[in-house]
């Protein structure tokens, strides 16, 4: 597994006075077609981790200290990859300078959803190109704020219209699951305004 694009969570667990250290690692693999994707590993050791070790062996089997290894194929489970974080912060700052912080956060949240689902002609999730989705996210947020939307269907229509202008009519199919998440974000934005 490559070391780039790794997100690490740590949990300390105590069972019957035995100190166990569990680390959850999210990383991206381009090792082979079968391995391509974002992986979530749970590694567990008594005491502190003492050395480097592989997350998977070359044949795909797990080393003894890896409790769980799963490929996250569902876009809802994809993490925001670490190389994206500085880009997100810079764009948030630019948007909050131009709009207000609440609107900037709304735009970032929409961009995150579009990035994780990685639909349409952009297809940049594995290339860390988060900002490739920001233009459409900004347009979608601004349309929602000025035109309002009362249903997932209306959000889907707005998003489709934005993508039709950007890439040509009918070229990009916006997943209904994405429209539902954006609609939920829209309701949260309206309720916090």
């Amino acid at each position: 597994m490559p070391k780039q694009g790794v997100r690490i969570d740590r949990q300390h667990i105590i069972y019957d006075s035995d100190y166990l250290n569990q680390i959850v690692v999210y990383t991206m693999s381009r090792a082979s077609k079968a391995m391509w994707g974002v992986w979530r590993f749970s590694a567990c050791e008594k005491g502190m981790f003492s050395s480097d070790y592989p997350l998977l062996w070359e044949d795909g089997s797990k080393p003894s200290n890896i409790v769980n290894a799963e490929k996250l194929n569902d876009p809802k489970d994809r993490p925001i990859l670490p190389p994206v974080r500085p880009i997100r912060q810079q764009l948030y700052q630019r948007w909050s300078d131009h709009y207000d912080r609440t609107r900037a956060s709304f735009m970032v949240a929409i961009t995150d959803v579009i990035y994780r689902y990685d639909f349409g002609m952009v297809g940049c999730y594995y290339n860390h190109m988060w900002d490739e989705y920001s233009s459409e996210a900004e347009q979608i947020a601004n349309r929602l704020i000025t035109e309002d939307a009362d249903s997932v269907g209306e959000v889907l229509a707005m998003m489709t219209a934005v993508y039709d202008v950007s890439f040509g009519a009918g070229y990009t199919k916006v997943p209904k699951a994405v429209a539902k998440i954006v609609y939920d974000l829209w309701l949260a934005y309206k309720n916090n305004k």
Side-chain angles (χ1 to χ4, degrees), residues 27 72 119 153 169 176 179:
T27 188
L72 305 178
F119 62 90
K176 191 168 186 178

Side-chain angles (χ1 to χ4, degrees), residues 55-117:
L55 297 172
L56 284 179
W57 298 117
E58 287 186 27
D59 65 1
S61 62
K62 297 183 295 186
S64 61
N65 60 324
I66 300 296
V67 178
N68 188 31
E70 60 182 322
K71 189 163 89 167
L72 305 178
N73 292 323
D74 187 341
K76 295 188 300 290
D77 293 330
R78 289 180 179 166
I80 300 300
L81 300 171
V84 165
R85 296 176 81 186
I87 300 164
R88 287 175 81 238
Q89 289 173 314
Q90 290 166 5
L91 196 55
Y92 170 79
Q93 188 59 53
R94 195 176 88 214
W95 279 335
S96 62
D97 289 346
H98 188 264
Y99 302 106
D100 59 63
R101 288 183 179 177
T102 306
R103 187 181 286 208
S105 294
F106 183 45
M107 291 174 176
V108 167
I110 293 173
T111 308
D112 285 346
V113 172
I114 296 169
Y115 167 80
R116 283 186 5 247
Y117 274 80

Side-chain angles (χ1 to χ4, degrees), residues 5-186:
V6 176
R7 185 181 83 186
I8 298 175
D9 296 331
R10 171 172 273 149
Q11 300 173 7
H12 299 287
I13 306 167
I14 300 174
Y15 294 112
D16 298 325
S17 300
D18 290 335
Y19 178 73
L20 292 177
N21 190 13
Q22 179 178 3
I23 295 184
V24 178
V25 179
Y26 294 84
T27 188
M28 201 168 29
S29 172
R30 296 183 179 103
S32 67
K33 191 170 185 177
M35 302 282 282
W36 184 277
V38 175
W39 285 76
R40 180 183 187 274
F41 296 94
S42 293
C44 210
E45 275 196 13
K46 188 171 182 175
M48 296 306 290
F49 287 82
S50 56
S51 63
D52 292 342
Y53 50 82
L55 297 172
L56 284 179
W57 298 117
E58 287 186 27
D59 65 1
S61 62
K62 297 183 295 186
S64 61
N65 60 324
I66 300 296
V67 178
N68 188 31
E70 60 182 322
K71 189 163 89 167
L72 305 178
N73 292 323
D74 187 341
K76 295 188 300 290
D77 293 330
R78 289 180 179 166
I80 300 300
L81 300 171
V84 165
R85 296 176 81 186
I87 300 164
R88 287 175 81 238
Q89 289 173 314
Q90 290 166 5
L91 196 55
Y92 170 79
Q93 188 59 53
R94 195 176 88 214
W95 279 335
S96 62
D97 289 346
H98 188 264
Y99 302 106
D100 59 63
R101 288 183 179 177
T102 306
R103 187 181 286 208
S105 294
F106 183 45
M107 291 174 176
V108 167
I110 293 173
T111 308
D112 285 346
V113 172
I114 296 169
Y115 167 80
R116 283 186 5 247
Y117 274 80
D118 200 31
F119 62 90
M121 72 180 292
V122 181
C124 292
Y125 183 81
Y126 293 112
N127 297 321
H128 317 305
M129 302 296 287
W130 184 88
D131 54 331
E132 289 291 326
Y133 304 96
S134 63
S135 175
E136 285 74 30
E138 181 178 10
Q139 292 173 55
I140 291 163
N142 285 331
R143 285 189 71 166
L144 284 166
I145 291 165
T146 58
E147 299 173 27
D148 202 355
D150 294 322
S151 69
V152 173
E154 288 180 23
V155 171
L156 183 62
M158 279 185 192
M159 292 181 74
T160 300
V162 166
Y163 276 92
D164 284 352
V165 169
S166 293
F167 301 112
Y171 191 82
T172 303
K173 180 163 176 49
V174 178
K176 191 168 186 178
V178 172
K180 168 73 169 93
I181 295 169
V182 172
Y183 179 64
D184 291 343
L185 291 170
W186 167 237

